[in-house]
Amino acid sequence: EVRLVESGGGLTQPGRSLRLSCAASEFTFDHYAMHWVRQAPGKGLEWVSSISWNSGNIGYADSVKGRFTISRDNAKNSLYLQMNSLRAEDMALYYCAKGLRGVWYYGMDVWGQGTTVTVSS
Amino acid sequence: QSALTQPASVSGSPGQSITISCTGTSSDVGGYNYVSWYRQHPGKAPKLMIYEVTNRPSGISNRFSGSKSGNTASLTISGLQAEDEADYYCSSYTSSSTYVFGTGTKVTVL
């Protein structure tokens, strides 16, 4: 069974940085695109960023472009999200999701349980 | 990128059928067959129910079906069951090389 485990969330102050990680297992990681999606408390889903199987194609939501960087290490079956210049509006549960195919525009199928990011002074 | 428009709530009695709409533009829903639907129970991660407009992943009941007409995609749940009570979200790839989710629909089983 596909397994995605996020980590790295926590409490931080506005303007600081956090790095989220997602450990993947039970599937051929380097065959699939990967995604980050967030959900603020009591709100809907918001797409954050996606990366193709070989890191050759990357996309970001306008709300995080220039502040967040997605990356992956296929040798370690891991996905990352470097979040800089954090704002209060970035506070959310961050989900890692597996892509349906190697390119990310097809969408996502399996989701992790999420890691919580809290931004507060 | 604006969220796709979904009704805030839809309800039905057990055994009935309901349909949830997802309205976008020709730059997202209408322009690509990369529309997915997700179900999310409270406190749980989303679960894929439909992908590429009409396809059901392995293990998803055939009570769930998807369709699209123009800029509007739809999810139909037939034979409504108590376990179907949840939030539902659509999503689509966009011409701006981004992804967008719908506003979400709360389904209530009466």
Side-chain angles (χ1 to χ4, degrees), chain A residues 39 101 104-108 112, chain B residues 38 40 45 52 93 97 99:
Chain A
Q39 187 169 34
R101 306 189 201 286
W104 56 266
Y105 46 80
Y106 286 95
M108 48 214 77
Chain B
Y38 303 90
Q40 187 179 35
E52 293 171 29
Y93 179 71
S97 295
Y99 228 82

Side-chain angles (χ1 to χ4, degrees), chain A residues 8 34 63 71 92 97 107 114:
Chain A
M34 296 295 294
S63 58
S71 62

Side-chain angles (χ1 to χ4, degrees), chain B residues 62-87:
Chain B
N62 59 10
R63 297 188 299 107
F64 292 85
S65 61
S67 63
K68 188 180 82 167
S69 177
N71 298 334
T72 298
S74 298
L75 173 70
T76 297
I77 309 174
S78 58
L80 202 61
Q81 299 179 0
E83 68 193 48
D84 299 330
E85 186 160 294
D87 293 325

Side-chain angles (χ1 to χ4, degrees), chain A residues 37 39 43-47 60 95 100-101 104-109 111-113, chain B residues 1 34 36 38 40 43-46 48 51-52 89 93 97-102:
Chain A
V37 177
Q39 187 169 34
K43 301 297 185 182
L45 301 173
E46 180 188 12
W47 175 73
Y60 295 100
Y95 290 106
L100 279 157
R101 306 189 201 286
W104 56 266
Y105 46 80
Y106 286 95
M108 48 214 77
D109 52 5
W111 299 56
Q113 291 303 307
Chain B
Q1 180 67 44
Y34 303 136
S36 299
Y38 303 90
Q40 187 179 35
K44 300 294 186 181
L48 179 67
Y51 67 98
E52 293 171 29
Y89 296 90
Y93 179 71
S97 295
T98 61
Y99 228 82
V100 63
F101 284 93

Side-chain angles (χ1 to χ4, degrees), chain B residues 35 60 102:
Chain B
V35 176
I60 299 301

Side-chain angles (χ1 to χ4, degrees), chain B residues 16-79:
Chain B
Q16 287 187 330
S17 293
I18 61 170
T19 297
I20 304 168
S21 61
C22 170
T23 301
T25 69
S26 58
S27 295
D28 39 65
V29 174
Y32 303 92
N33 286 326
Y34 303 136
V35 176
S36 299
W37 289 91
Y38 303 90
R39 180 174 73 182
Q40 187 179 35
H41 286 118
K44 300 294 186 181
K47 180 176 183 177
L48 179 67
M49 307 304 287
I50 294 287
Y51 67 98
E52 293 171 29
V53 180
T54 61
N55 297 321
R56 274 189 314 275
S58 173
I60 299 301
S61 169
N62 59 10
R63 297 188 299 107
F64 292 85
S65 61
S67 63
K68 188 180 82 167
S69 177
N71 298 334
T72 298
S74 298
L75 173 70
T76 297
I77 309 174
S78 58

